[in-house]
């Protein structure tokens, strides 16, 4: 869930999450039906004590519409975690279709987040690999099965053509500065991994399917971000967003991209993590460091500088800092980044 604790008195991450102050369930955010955890759980048999993510406590596992499921095994919450999630999503979709109601379903899989635990039928498919890779590949295959299950269900219900599906990862692969233990993900040639503002930490696989409006197999080089989902869906539904002065939005509607009317992103994308910031435009990306010590998640060789500029069109691996060659781009993107940071600060202060 990651948008608050599911109990006003408990967080599986400890008292530092201040559950009394950060309590907010999906129903408090507008969801009619929800089945969720506060944070990641094991990808197979999450109710087994040996698979706990940290200390074992049922309150850190699944909740359904505000009630903690303490007896998960007795309620059938065994085996594949990705299947458990889809088992709850599909009945909601079926009921919505049967009643003629449009639906929004948000499905957050835990895989392949730690604890990475592959199930026997999936492990058997990768018997030729070392154990850590077997588990990692197994949980991704299990997730993939459930995505296929979803698409088949939409087709059988006769709503696949008009249903928009968004799929993406949340960040780069775990493990610093490379694969470690069962965290066997790869960022390919990209620099950095999870917790990094270089491309390996923030550029992730993604696709959108909408058979009624998007031609299958299309690819785009236009940058996009999850902040674009809300403006895009609102645009498609014809819902006017509140004035940006009252509630600024970082994202844009991607509808023009779907309709092949967008070749460049009109608004850069900002990122911030523990004091460091980055802004991504169509060609250039500016990275700002407050500390010149190289982070563990940065597996690059370029010297760390306060301001770094990369041409991510021709240099996706961020192997050459071109700030000295393009000072005007540094000034332009720095101005955009600083205004974005101030906007985030104002939003934070307004929300308490």
């Amino acid at each position: 869930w990651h948008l608050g604790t599911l109990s006003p008195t408990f967080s599986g991450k400890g008292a530092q999450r201040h559950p009394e102050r950060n309590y907010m369930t999906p129903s408090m955010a507008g969801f009619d039906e929800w089945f969720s955890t506060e944070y990641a759980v094991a990808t197979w048999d999450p109710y087994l004590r040996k698979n706990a993510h940290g200390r074992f406590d049922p309150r850190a596992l699944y909740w359904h519409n505000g009630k903690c499921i303490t007896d998960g095994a007795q309620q059938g919450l065994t085996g594949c975690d990705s299947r458990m999630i889809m088992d709850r999503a599909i009945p909601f979709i079926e009921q919505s279709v049967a009643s003629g109601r449009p639906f929004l379903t948000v499905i957050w899989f835990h895989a392949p987040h730690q604890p990475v635990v592959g199930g026997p039928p999936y492990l058997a498919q990768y018997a030729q690999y070392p154990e850590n890779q077997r588990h990692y590949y197994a949980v991704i295959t299990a997730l993939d099965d459930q995505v296929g299950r979803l698409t088949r269900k939409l087709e059988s219900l006769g709503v696949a053509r008009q249903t928009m599906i968004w799929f993406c990862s949340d960040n780069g692969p775990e493990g610093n500065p490379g694969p470690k233990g069962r965290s066997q993900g790869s960022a390919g040639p990209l620099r950095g991994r999870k917790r990094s503002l270089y491309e390996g930490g923030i550029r992730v696989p993604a696709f959108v399917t909408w058979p009624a409006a998007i031609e299958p197999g299309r690819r785009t080089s236009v940058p996009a971000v999850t902040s674009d989902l809300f403006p895009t869906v609102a645009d498609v539904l014809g819902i006017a967003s509140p004035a940006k002065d009252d509630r600024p939005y970082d994202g844009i509607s991607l509808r023009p991209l779907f309709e092949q009317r967008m070749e460049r992103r009109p608004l850069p994308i900002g990122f911030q993590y523990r004091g460091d910031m980055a802004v991504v435009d169509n060609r250039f990306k500016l990275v700002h460091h407050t500390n010149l010590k190289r982070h563990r998640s940065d597996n690059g060789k370029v010297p760390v500088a306060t301001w770094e500029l990369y041409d991510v069109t021709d240099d996706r691996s961020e192997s050459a800092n071109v700030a000295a060659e393009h000072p005007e781009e540094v000034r332009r993107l720095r101005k955009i980044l600083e205004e974005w940071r101030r906007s985030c600060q104002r939003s934070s202060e307004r929300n308490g």
Side-chain angles (χ1 to χ4, degrees), residues 1-2 4 6 34-41 47 59-63 81 110:
W1 171 234
H2 272 343
L6 301 179
W34 61 276
F35 173 75
S36 184
T37 63
E38 180 187 343
Y39 58 94
V41 299
Y47 279 84
R59 292 174 296 175
L61 299 172
Y62 277 106
W63 293 64
D81 179 70
H110 293 121

Side-chain angles (χ1 to χ4, degrees), residues 33 35 64 68 139 151 162 165-166 214 216 236 259 295 319 322:
E33 173 81 15
F35 173 75
H64 182 211
C68 179
V139 303
T151 59
Q162 296 294 338
I165 298 177
W166 302 71
I214 302 175
V236 169
E259 298 173 351
H295 298 309
S319 61
V322 295

Side-chain angles (χ1 to χ4, degrees), residues 80-159:
C80 179
D81 179 70
S82 294
R83 191 210 71 243
M84 296 177 200
I85 296 169
M86 195 60 69
D87 282 348
R88 270 66 186 176
I90 283 180
F92 173 78
I93 294 172
E94 291 174 328
Q95 293 163 15
S96 298
V97 172
S99 63
R101 295 196 316 267
F103 59 90
L104 168 70
T105 309
V106 180
I107 302 172
W108 283 313
F109 292 108
H110 293 121
H113 195 289
Q114 296 175 335
V116 176
V117 184
Y122 294 102
L123 289 170
Q125 299 180 41
Y126 300 100
Q128 71 272 34
Y129 292 97
E131 180 181 357
N132 288 334
Q133 292 181 15
R134 290 181 66 202
H135 279 273
Y136 192 80
Y137 300 159
V139 303
I140 292 178
T141 303
L143 183 157
D144 189 58
D145 275 354
Q146 297 308 313
V147 175
R149 179 183 171 197
L150 172 64
T151 59
R152 291 191 298 274
K153 175 56 66 173
L154 294 173
E155 290 168 357
S156 69
L157 292 173
V159 296

